[in-house]
Amino acid sequence: MSKNRKNKCGSPAEKKPLIEIPEEEKWRLIRESGLLDSVNTPYQRTLASTSTPEVDDGPPPLLEEIFNALVIIMPHTFFLIMMDILIHHQYAKQPTVRDIAGRLVNTLPIMAIFMFYTVRHKDNTILQLALFLLSLGVGPRMIWLVNRGSWLTNLAQCPQVATIWLYTVVQLKLSLALLSLTLIGGWTWWTGMKLLL
């Protein structure tokens, strides 16, 4: 009896489909239906469990800002120390480590806070204007001190003023930095002061 049933139904391989669809068309229909995207294969599950979310690609923003500020603060600190040593040698004085350390203790905290916030908001137009005006203030002051200041005033003020002037020019956009240096150069020429003694 079971033989009769098998013969009557026939095998599934022997049956022909009602409509013949080419293989390419089948794949196109499957892709468009989104059926493959909804199937969760074991391979996709392992990829999902091992992959990390790409939301956090770098360090936290505060750490990055601190790093950017340190990259600016360190060379300017060395510049301040170098200017302090050079101004002492210009007047035949020998700076001690205690003198340099005392100047750093007084200057470095204020300088670091100022540089941190100005590096943080460097692209702000108001800050660029403020740095431009600061550059126009400290540049002529530095040149005036070198030309007309007493040696005690130069020892006390020149290293900090030179560091601030250098920092403002470095942080300004190129056009503002060139304008600032041109205006200071014009002022120097107009007043008859020299940049080199």
Side-chain angles (χ1 to χ4, degrees):
M1 189 125 169
S2 65
K3 288 183 182 180
N4 289 341
R5 285 188 192 163
K6 286 184 182 177
N7 289 340
K8 285 182 184 176
C9 297
S11 67
E14 294 174 2
K15 287 187 176 179
K16 283 194 151 192
L18 297 175
I19 301 172
E20 199 59 41
I21 300 176
E23 190 71 26
E24 295 166 5
E25 183 68 15
K26 288 179 187 176
W27 281 108
R28 185 187 66 79
L29 289 172
I30 291 171
R31 272 184 259 134
E32 286 180 2
S33 70
L35 185 62
L36 289 177
D37 296 334
S38 64
V39 175
N40 195 2
T41 63
Y43 176 72
Q44 290 173 337
R45 283 189 291 251
T46 58
L47 280 180
S49 66
T50 58
S51 66
T52 57
E54 294 184 24
V55 175
D56 190 20
D57 257 358
L62 180 62
L63 290 178
E64 191 171 325
E65 289 175 356
I66 291 171
F67 175 76
N68 290 339
L70 285 175
V71 167
I72 294 292
I73 292 169
M74 286 174 45
H76 285 86
T77 303
F78 294 134
F79 181 76
L80 176 69
I81 293 169
M82 180 190 70
M83 289 302 293
D84 196 27
I85 292 170
L86 289 177
I87 197 74
H88 277 84
H89 281 287
Q90 181 178 353
Y91 293 108
K93 301 286 181 189
Q94 192 66 25
T96 63
V97 174
R98 185 176 183 184
D99 293 337
I100 295 172
R103 184 174 302 263
L104 278 179
V105 166
N106 289 335
T107 308
L108 189 61
I110 297 168
M111 186 174 81
I113 292 170
F114 173 72
M115 288 182 179
F116 174 76
Y117 282 106
T118 53
V119 166
R120 188 180 213 184
H121 304 289
K122 179 181 176 181
D123 295 327
N124 188 339
T125 307
I126 295 171
L127 181 68
Q128 285 290 312
L129 179 64
L131 287 173
F132 176 74
L133 294 175
L134 183 61
S135 174
L136 290 179
V138 296
R141 175 69 179 167
M142 172 72 184
I143 294 169
W144 186 88
L145 281 173
V146 169
N147 281 276
R148 303 239 161 77
S150 70
W151 68 276
L152 286 174
T153 307
N154 287 346
L155 284 174
Q157 294 181 8
C158 276
Q160 289 92 344
V161 172
T163 305
I164 293 170
W165 188 21
L166 175 70
Y167 176 72
T168 57
V169 171
V170 167
Q171 288 299 317
L172 283 173
K173 292 181 181 175
L174 183 60
S175 58
L176 290 175
L178 288 175
L179 180 62
S180 169
L181 292 174
T182 303
L183 290 173
I184 293 170
W187 176 83
T188 305
W189 172 78
W190 182 66
T191 56
M193 295 191 187
K194 297 185 277 182
L195 292 174
L196 299 174
L197 293 176

